[in-house]
Amino acid sequence: MNNIAKHFNWFILLVLVLHIVLKLAFISQETLYTDEPYSLSIAQQSFQEIYAQSLQDSNPPLYLFLLHIWVTLFGVSAMAAKLFSVLASVATGLMIALFAKKFCNIPTAIFASILYLGSNVQLYYSHEIRTYAVLGFFIMLSMYVFFSLLRSPNKRFLILLALINVALLLFHYTSIYVHIAQGIIALLHFRTHTKAFWYYCISQIISCILFFPWILTVFQNAPSNAGWIKSPNWGDFVNILIVLSNSKAAVVVFALLCLGVLYVAIQKPHMLNSSWNIKQFLSLAIWFIVPLVLNYIISQFSPQFLIRTLLFTNLGLCILVGYAFSVLKVGKYIQYTVAGVVGISYLYSFSVYQPRPEQWNKVVPPLTQKSESTAVFVSPWYTYRAFAYYYNIDYFKNHTRTLELLSAEHVHFLDNPQTLDSIQIVQFDTIHIITCRGPMEQFDSVLTSFRYKQLHHSQYWDMKNAIYVRSHQ
């Protein structure tokens, strides 16, 4: 570890290169799925149209504004759009290294960088055309400025933090937990950093004033409890910990390491080196734990306990574990042993290939050669953007007429199989039914009543594709 520390800059450069290689390895094979086509479709529109859309959306608009600029410069292809998130994820890795080096020590920066590089969940979301990877970068930027403010309170950091923190809320509302965690950390340092505490309070007041005009929109579009997200239980909490830590084994090892360091700090402080600072340790723990716990509690009433809304806590986890490892004053063989146990428990389950639950890029392209006597029905209705992207990119780009253009080619989107009754399906010799995360059986019963027989059935993860032919007997 000491040898690596001597060549820290080269090590970070190597890690960044590995980030790029790993994150680009299979990106061309990935499909658009769930909300990605929506993001890409909205990003094609003007700033005014995006703003108008966001006034009716439960998500804030800042990511879509930035994505609009990106696709304007680099095009509407899935690869180009995903590269925006990849770039943000790589930049986050750099920020982790810079943060840990400045506010902890070089060994923490090295260890945290490796943990972030080997995170399955970070790799997964680095490919998504959604806000989470970009939000992670801005959260790291916020934390960097926040800790700089604690160390050296001045007006420059105060204003910069206020602007970054209001931006966090305009990326995703659950970033409010970052604000709360920072507030608790600032309070923890109140006695020794009184001026910094009050500077932070002023910074937050400025953020609130800047965000206030958007408050009404937040409440108007707040999701109800009637959505698909359910209130979490203890099993869900444990599962989130496992995903953030890559494996069950890593959860145990990380917990033992952090609790062990606390025990040593109390009982045998001579076993900790000069880098040890109890407030720094607690600050990193707050960064990781407080958002998790608060999200879990709030989700009992307004469910939002999802790995994507908690992705940023992995950043605090990586630095916390790295710091806990770095402060142990032990022999190099024990150090290597601890590093090996932590590394193996975390990295053995790492996978460069992170498949998506939907495979539109495999299901849709063959349908572009269908005949006039063939109809396609896709469920649920909201998947039409994903279908259009792989069926005819020009239809996707023409976002105001996408459904109309697809309907003209006998491609229809519906939620209820009974809707088939209102369409003259008997005019078609062949019918393709594509369902995404939904049952096929209801469609089968309806088509059977019209004397269609299933000829072929295939499944791609959460997607099902069935071909029916009409019997003329």
Side-chain angles (χ1 to χ4, degrees):
M1 186 70 72
N2 290 330
N3 290 331
I4 298 177
K6 293 177 183 178
H7 306 284
F8 178 74
N9 292 337
W10 286 107
F11 170 79
I12 294 304
L13 179 61
L14 174 62
V15 169
L16 292 178
V17 170
L18 288 174
H19 267 294
I20 295 171
V21 171
L22 293 177
K23 287 177 168 61
L24 295 182
F26 293 98
I27 193 171
S28 62
Q29 299 180 23
E30 293 189 358
T31 181
L32 295 178
Y33 86 111
T34 60
D35 292 336
E36 286 186 294
Y38 172 82
S39 298
L40 196 53
S41 178
I42 299 299
Q44 298 178 86
Q45 302 175 33
S46 67
F47 284 117
Q48 294 83 355
E49 290 173 315
I50 294 173
Y51 175 77
Q53 180 74 23
S54 67
L55 292 176
Q56 306 171 40
D57 200 334
S58 59
N59 293 308
L62 186 52
Y63 170 73
L64 292 174
F65 286 152
L66 295 182
L67 185 61
H68 169 78
I69 297 172
W70 182 269
V71 299
T72 300
L73 294 174
F74 301 104
V76 188
S77 72
M79 171 73 83
K82 287 178 181 290
L83 284 176
F84 182 42
S85 293
V86 169
L87 180 63
S89 181
V90 173
T92 302
L94 176 61
M95 286 303 303
I96 286 174
L98 296 177
F99 175 94
K101 179 186 178 184
K102 181 174 181 178
F103 300 108
C104 300
N105 51 54
I106 288 180
T108 299
I110 294 170
F111 212 81
S113 296
I114 293 173
L115 291 178
Y116 178 75
L117 175 66
S119 170
N120 281 321
V121 70
Q122 292 291 352
L123 177 58
Y124 186 92
Y125 282 98
S126 72
H127 292 173
E128 286 220 346
I129 309 173
R130 293 201 280 183
T131 188
Y132 306 107
V134 180
L135 175 63
F137 168 74
F138 276 88
I139 287 175
M140 275 307 312
L141 195 60
S142 172
M143 284 297 187
Y144 188 93
V145 176
F146 168 68
F147 276 85
S148 297
L149 181 67
L150 287 182
R151 178 177 290 188
S152 178
N154 59 61
K155 293 179 181 179
R156 180 167 61 91
F157 288 140
L158 184 155
I159 298 298
L160 187 56
L161 183 62
L163 295 176
I164 295 173
N165 278 358
V166 75
L168 294 185
L169 293 172
L170 291 173
F171 276 116
H172 205 279
Y173 300 134
T174 54
S175 63
I176 186 65
Y177 299 121
V178 175
H179 292 241
I180 297 172
Q182 288 180 350
I184 297 173
I185 294 170
L187 190 60
L188 177 68
H189 290 79
F190 177 73
R191 287 190 176 183
T192 55
H193 299 74
T194 305
K195 182 179 179 181
F197 173 82
W198 291 117
Y199 268 48
Y200 174 74
C201 291
I202 295 171
S203 176
Q204 285 299 89
I205 291 171
I206 295 173
S207 292
C208 290
I209 292 172
L210 293 174
F211 186 73
F212 184 77
W214 197 256
I215 287 291
L216 182 60
T217 303
V218 176
F219 287 105
Q220 285 178 336
N221 298 304
S224 66
N225 288 339
W228 62 271
I229 307 174
K230 305 301 180 185
S231 298
N233 54 38
W234 176 244
D236 297 319
F237 189 90
V238 172
N239 185 62
I240 288 288
L241 289 177
I242 293 172
V243 175
L244 290 172
S245 305
N246 269 15
S247 68
K248 293 180 181 179
V251 173
V252 175
V253 171
F254 288 176
L256 289 175
L257 175 62
C258 292
L259 292 174
V261 166
L262 276 178
Y263 173 81
V264 170
I266 297 171
Q267 298 295 329
K268 300 180 180 180
H270 63 278
M271 293 183 63
L272 300 178
N273 60 39
S274 59
S275 295
W276 170 252
N277 184 306
I278 183 63
K279 288 186 177 180
Q280 187 73 338
F281 180 87
L282 292 176
S283 297
L284 296 174
I286 288 168
W287 178 357
F288 169 56
I289 296 172
V290 166
L292 275 172
V293 174
L294 286 179
N295 193 319
Y296 179 82
I297 294 171
I298 297 299
S299 291
Q300 303 303 319
F301 310 97
S302 179
Q304 54 182 302
F305 196 72
L306 301 169
I307 186 61
R308 60 177 180 262
T309 63
L310 292 163
L311 183 65
F312 66 86
T313 61
N314 172 266
L315 309 176
L317 175 64
C318 291
I319 301 172
L320 172 64
V321 173
Y323 184 67
F325 169 76
S326 73
V327 297
L328 291 173
K329 188 165 65 176
V330 293
K332 66 177 182 179
Y333 293 112
I334 296 178
Q335 187 181 52
Y336 291 153
T337 301
V338 174
V341 171
V342 173
I344 291 173
S345 67
Y346 186 78
L347 297 175
Y348 88 94
S349 59
F350 175 69
S351 174
V352 179
Y353 180 54
Q354 299 286 331
R356 310 289 141 166
E358 301 170 17
Q359 299 290 312
W360 295 99
N361 59 341
K362 294 181 180 179
V363 174
V364 178
L367 296 174
T368 59
Q369 305 300 319
K370 73 178 185 64
S371 66
E372 279 294 315
S373 62
T374 299
V376 180
F377 296 92
V378 187
S379 178
W381 172 86
Y382 64 80
T383 58
Y384 74 90
R385 293 185 180 92
F387 184 97
Y389 181 88
Y390 292 102
Y391 186 80
N392 188 318
I393 189 65
D394 291 327
Y395 293 179
F396 177 81
K397 291 179 179 179
N398 193 347
H399 61 91
T400 59
R401 298 185 60 217
T402 300
L403 285 170
E404 176 190 345
L405 293 168
L406 289 170
S407 179
E409 295 200 18
H410 309 307
V411 180
H412 304 278
F413 299 83
L414 62 164
D415 291 323
N416 187 352
Q418 301 305 320
T419 309
L420 290 170
D421 294 340
S422 63
I423 303 173
Q424 298 296 320
I425 63 173
V426 293
Q427 64 182 301
F428 302 109
D429 295 327
T430 306
I431 290 180
H432 288 257
I433 300 291
I434 299 173
T435 61
C436 180
R437 305 185 188 186
M440 179 71 74
E441 292 74 16
Q442 293 177 314
F443 286 95
D444 187 78
S445 61
V446 172
L447 289 172
T448 300
S449 68
F450 282 96
R451 298 174 63 185
Y452 282 90
K453 181 179 180 181
Q454 187 177 119
L455 181 66
H456 176 74
H457 178 271
S458 56
Q459 185 163 352
Y460 300 85
W461 292 81
D462 287 350
M463 296 183 66
K464 297 177 182 178
N465 179 24
I467 302 174
Y468 292 82
V469 294
R470 182 166 170 78
S471 172
H472 296 285
Q473 296 181 353

